[in-house]
């Protein structure tokens, strides 16, 4: 699948831009802070209705502009910025073409249409297009907290299987309800009605655990392969392993294991007044050369691991759908040594439509089909 | 922001459920442009509803008199009680035409995040009714979402020691949805296929 064109208005530093998007490897070149990441972000947002960088939509709308006065011009003034950003474009897949139109309203609910019909849920858009984004923030998957890794796993889940998107949010709500009940109940014993929330926590928690296990199983082997290809040595493996908070013993079901663990920790829970067992305590184990990546990997290795995880997600989606998702790589080369840089560049062909943003031409991969130059929110074909 | 009474009206309207600031503004301007008698009729209907509405002494559904139409009806089986969260859910269940018994409106569902606990609902009143009237079966038709399920479980645990049969809607309703949005056929099937709790 691919994007065939995009129109951008009032998004980040883009006033207006209109681009035909060819297939294959597209390289976006521009100095820092000129808008090449913003361009990738706009395209990813059109595909997923999510920014890979921020959780609020407010920063996506082009902000108030300051126009300096002088030279016979009117005095310096603050002109009110636009209240919405607009993205339009077309996605092509084996299922056909989809015209996607998004009004990103800084506050408030976005307006989204696919083929002129309103779309309410993000997962309805995923029927038409899927995308994977990898940028410098992804170092957090390797070097950050378990929370960062859980967020990555859940992103894998909803990119692979859009219909499972609600699993994480249902668990999240059951968890918040149960935690509030534990926190607010003044008595020393268990609060009344806790059993009801236990049942919801266990039901949705077991569903989330198994869907996360499934997603990691899709990613793990592929990430290891990507990492080996990048390092050029079969000995340098990346170990990827799901570490769930709840694991069944023997023939026990996941639900039974969850209940057992809750029972074991119930006294502790009443002292600490919070839920101590469940997928909100899951982690993703990452090991390079058998050592925990978080502490031991060099900057280059950590970036290589993050990149491998993202590329693996792209491969897993391709295997699930029978066609490649659109892949975005923001500044993939900077943290790599020249050898890894060369190997990554050589391996970017044959992955469908891939857009990469790099600071200068010295890193241009051989497979490059198209080059765009970005300067001050303007895009020009080179 | 507008001046004076029109802004007051917008503010009042935007406090209503499901009405955002834009809709409130549109409604307010519609109302001030409408003929005076229309505005008066609307205002009077709101006041009359507020002053005239009562809740049934037995089941706590909205009612015109002391007892609602269903509790007054001798043809309805007093030994079966269908428990719902709100009066609007009772209306939805009633439309499905499966329940030959009576209802009990809890007044919501347990939700710690919204500060709603068992004491904020008419749970004790339900237990009193069941103990008093020789009830045979209680059908828990709270919404098929987190809060509705947790509430059903809580109520069921209190009912079972009273020796009454406790059942819950069968699955098959849209998960996470509200009863009021389920179609009659699906809701009817969920009621017919209810299971022991
Ligand atoms: Zn009644």
């Amino acid at each position: 699948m691919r994007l065939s064109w995009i129109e951008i208005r009032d998004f980040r530093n883009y006033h207006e831009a209109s681009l035909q998007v060819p297939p294959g490897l597209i390289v976006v070149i521009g100095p820092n802070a000129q808008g090449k990441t913003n361009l990738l972000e706009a395209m990813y947002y059109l595909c997923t209705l999510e920014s890979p960088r921020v959780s609020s939509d407010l920063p996506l709308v082009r902000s108030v502009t300051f126009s300096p006065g002088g030279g016979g011009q009117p005095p310096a003034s603050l002109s009110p910025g636009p209240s919405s950003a607009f993205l339009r474009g077309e996605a092509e897949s084996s299922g056909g073409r989809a015209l996607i139109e998004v009004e990103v309203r800084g506050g408030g609910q976005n307006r989204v249409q696919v083929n002129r019909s309103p779309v309410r849920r993000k997962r309805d858009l995923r029927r038409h297009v899927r995308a994977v984004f990898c940028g410098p923030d992804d170092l957090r998957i390797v070097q950050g907290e378990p929370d960062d890794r859980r967020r990555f796993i859940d992103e894998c889940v909803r990119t692979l299987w859009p219909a499972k998107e609600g699993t994480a949010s249902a668990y999240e709500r059951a968890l918040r309800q149960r935690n509030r009940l534990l926190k607010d109940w003044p008595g020393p014993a268990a609060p009344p009605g806790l059993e009801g929330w236990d049942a919801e926590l266990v039901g949705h928690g077991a569903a989330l655990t198994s869907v996360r296990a499934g997603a990691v199983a899709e990613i793990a082997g592929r990430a290891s392969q990507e990492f080996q290809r990048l390092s050029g040595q079969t000995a340098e493996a990346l170990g990827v392993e799901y570490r769930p908070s709840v694991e069944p013993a023997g023939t026990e079901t996941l639900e039974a294991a969850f209940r057992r663990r809750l029972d074991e920790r119930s006294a502790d829970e009443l002292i600490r007044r919070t839920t101590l067992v469940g997928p909100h305590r899951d982690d993703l184990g990452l090991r390079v050369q058998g050592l925990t990546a978080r502490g031991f990997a060099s900057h280059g290795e950590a970036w290589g691991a993050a990149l491998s995880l993202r590329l693996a997600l792209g491969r897993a989606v391709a295997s699930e759908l029978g066609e490649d998702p659109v892949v975005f790589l923001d500044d993939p080369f900077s943290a790599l040594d020249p050898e890894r840089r060369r190997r990554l560049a050589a391996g970017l062909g044959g992955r469908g439509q891939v857009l990469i943003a790099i600071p200068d031409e010295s890193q241009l991969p051989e497979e490059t089909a198209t080059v765009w130059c970005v300067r001050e929110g303007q895009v020009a074909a080179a | 922001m507008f001046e004076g009474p029109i802004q007051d009206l917008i503010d009042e309207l935007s406090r209503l459920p499901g009405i955002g600031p834009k809709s409130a503004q549109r409604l307010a301007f519609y109302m001030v442009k409408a003929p005076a008698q229309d505005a008066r009729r609307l205002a009077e209907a709101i006041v009359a509803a507020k002053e005239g509405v009562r809740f049934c002494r037995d089941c706590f559904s909205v009612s015109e008199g002391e007892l609602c139409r269903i509790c007054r009806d001798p043809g309805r089986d007093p030994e079966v009680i269908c428990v719902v969260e709100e009066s609007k859910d009772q209306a939805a269940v009633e439309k499905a035409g499966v329940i030959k018994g009576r209802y009990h409106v809890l007044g919501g569902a347990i939700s710690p995040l919204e500060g709603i606990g068992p004491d904020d609902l008419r749970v004790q009143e339900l237990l009193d009714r069941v103990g008093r009237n020789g009830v045979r079966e209680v059908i828990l038709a709270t919404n098929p979402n987190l809060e509705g399920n947790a509430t059903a479980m809580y109520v069921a645990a209190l009912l079972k020691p009273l020796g009454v049969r406790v059942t819950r809607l069968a699955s098959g309703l849209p998960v996470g949805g509200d009863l009021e949005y389920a179609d009659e056929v699906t809701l009817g099937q969920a009621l017919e296929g209810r299971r022991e709790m």
Side-chain angles (χ1 to χ4, degrees):
Chain A
M1 50 184 54
R2 70 178 185 99
L3 285 174
S4 45
W5 55 267
I6 183 170
E7 288 172 9
I8 302 169
R9 205 168 75 193
D10 294 326
F11 186 96
R12 294 273 193 186
N13 69 331
Y14 285 84
H15 193 277
E16 234 171 340
S18 174
L19 289 161
Q20 295 296 316
V21 193
L25 180 59
I26 301 170
V27 178
V28 184
I29 297 179
N32 286 333
Q34 300 294 308
K36 57 184 192 304
T37 301
N38 296 346
L39 179 61
L40 262 51
E41 182 183 32
M43 298 173 92
Y44 182 78
Y45 197 98
L46 185 72
C47 297
T48 61
L49 307 179
E50 283 170 16
S51 161
R53 302 153 82 194
V54 288
S55 54
S56 146
D57 284 338
L58 197 60
L60 304 182
V61 180
R62 191 167 60 89
S63 49
V64 176
T65 49
F66 183 72
S67 41
Q73 298 290 308
S77 68
L78 276 170
S79 61
S83 58
S84 296
F86 293 87
L87 300 171
R88 287 178 81 224
E90 197 170 58
E92 280 180 36
S93 69
S94 59
R97 290 161 185 268
L99 173 66
I100 309 167
E101 297 170 283
V102 185
E103 178 184 356
V104 187
R105 302 158 85 195
Q109 196 88 39
N110 289 349
R111 292 202 187 94
V112 185
Q113 294 203 323
V114 174
N115 293 331
R116 309 275 182 202
S117 304
V119 160
R120 219 164 33 87
R121 298 169 305 190
K122 290 176 186 174
R123 67 172 153 120
D124 295 327
L125 190 55
R126 296 204 170 92
R127 289 194 358 234
H128 304 281
V129 62
R130 312 265 179 106
V132 173
F133 191 104
C134 184
D137 288 347
D138 286 323
L139 270 176
R140 277 192 300 219
I141 303 171
V142 182
Q143 296 177 327
E145 301 302 314
D147 187 37
D148 295 303
R149 287 181 283 280
R150 286 191 293 270
R151 215 173 298 129
F152 170 70
I153 304 174
D154 288 341
E155 194 191 319
C156 292
V157 168
R158 55 181 195 271
T159 309
L160 282 163
W161 307 301
K164 304 282 187 201
E165 178 159 23
T167 317
S169 47
Y171 175 75
E172 182 70 20
R173 182 152 178 97
L175 177 68
R176 287 177 56 218
Q177 289 280 25
R178 191 175 185 275
N179 281 345
R180 179 60 70 85
L181 184 65
L182 286 169
K183 186 162 168 284
D184 288 355
W185 176 246
L194 187 64
E195 307 78 31
W197 297 111
D198 288 354
E200 294 301 300
L201 190 80
V202 167
H204 293 289
L208 182 56
T209 301
S210 65
V211 83
R212 279 180 176 173
V216 176
E218 290 294 322
I219 304 296
R222 295 184 168 97
S224 191
Q225 280 172 16
E226 296 286 353
F227 193 80
Q228 281 175 353
R229 197 168 304 151
L230 203 56
S231 61
Q233 294 164 31
T234 46
E236 261 189 58
L238 171 66
V240 181
E241 177 199 29
Y242 180 41
R243 298 201 183 131
S245 160
V246 173
E247 276 182 288
T251 57
E252 202 179 27
T253 64
L254 203 46
E255 279 88 352
F258 204 149
R259 289 214 171 266
R260 173 175 56 76
R261 297 278 291 124
L262 275 179
D263 283 348
E264 286 167 8
R265 302 301 301 273
S266 65
D268 271 359
E269 286 196 333
L270 290 179
I271 293 165
R272 299 183 39 193
R273 298 273 156 197
T274 190
T275 303
L276 298 174
V277 179
H280 63 292
R281 302 195 139 207
D282 287 351
D283 201 352
L284 185 70
L286 297 173
R287 297 170 86 80
V288 175
Q289 308 268 56
L291 296 173
T292 303
R294 188 183 179 188
F296 294 99
S298 68
H299 183 69
E301 277 174 330
W303 174 244
L307 199 57
S308 299
L309 287 167
R310 290 289 182 189
L311 291 172
L313 174 58
R315 290 292 201 201
V317 171
S319 137
E320 182 78 16
L321 295 182
E323 53 188 322
D324 289 292
V326 186
V327 175
F328 300 92
L329 305 178
D330 184 21
D331 199 15
F333 298 127
S334 296
L336 300 177
D337 59 53
E339 263 306 295
R340 284 192 166 85
R341 203 176 280 184
R342 193 186 54 71
R343 275 192 290 266
L344 174 63
L348 289 177
R351 291 179 191 263
Q353 193 175 48
V354 178
L355 290 103
I356 68 172
I358 55 176
D360 59 70
E361 284 181 10
S362 68
Q363 303 174 341
L364 203 64
E366 268 177 41
E367 306 268 352
T368 304
T370 308
V371 176
W372 290 340
C373 295
V374 170
R375 198 167 280 274
E376 290 172 9
Q378 304 276 336
V379 188
Chain B
M1 288 292 276
F2 299 91
E3 286 179 20
I6 184 79
Q7 188 61 44
D8 294 343
L9 179 56
I10 294 171
D11 292 345
E12 289 302 323
L13 289 169
S14 58
R15 293 222 296 260
L16 300 175
I19 306 283
K22 282 257 170 61
S23 311
Q25 197 174 310
R26 201 168 59 238
L27 289 170
F29 277 101
Y30 175 82
M31 286 172 190
V32 297
K33 273 196 278 182
Q37 67 265 31
D38 286 9
R40 196 168 299 282
R41 209 165 44 232
L42 175 64
E44 284 168 2
I46 294 171
V47 173
K50 181 64 203 160
E51 288 174 353
V53 79
R54 299 168 63 178
F55 295 96
C56 173
R57 194 188 61 198
D58 277 3
C59 75
F60 302 96
S61 174
V62 287
S63 165
E64 267 184 276
E66 203 183 342
L67 282 176
C68 73
R69 185 177 51 76
I70 292 171
C71 290
R72 277 200 315 265
D73 183 349
R76 306 289 293 232
D77 184 351
E79 295 186 357
V80 174
I81 294 179
C82 179
V83 176
V84 294
E85 292 179 20
E86 306 278 2
S87 288
K88 61 183 165 56
D89 302 321
Q90 184 208 319
V93 172
E94 189 61 9
K95 244 196 279 175
V98 172
I99 300 296
K100 308 295 180 217
R102 297 184 179 171
Y103 291 92
H104 188 90
V105 179
L106 288 174
I110 297 172
S111 175
L113 288 171
E114 291 161 284
I116 302 173
D119 294 345
D120 301 304
L121 306 175
R122 296 186 190 100
V123 176
Q124 190 53 50
E125 289 87 341
L126 174 66
L127 299 177
D128 292 346
R129 256 181 103 184
V130 170
R132 203 168 56 223
N133 291 349
V135 171
R136 194 171 74 237
E137 180 183 358
V138 176
I139 303 162
L140 297 173
T142 48
N143 286 327
N145 56 25
L146 287 172
E147 292 76 18
N149 290 340
T151 305
M153 194 137 180
Y154 174 74
V155 174
L158 296 173
L159 284 170
K160 274 189 234 165
L162 303 178
V164 63
R165 183 178 174 216
V166 185
T167 55
R168 176 88 174 114
L169 294 174
S171 47
L173 290 166
V175 176
D178 286 346
L179 288 190
E180 56 171 325
Y181 300 126
D183 68 87
E184 288 164 35
V185 177
T186 315
L187 185 50
Q189 285 166 347
L191 286 161
E192 297 275 12
R194 60 187 183 269
R195 53 187 165 74
E196 304 290 331
M197 275 199 83

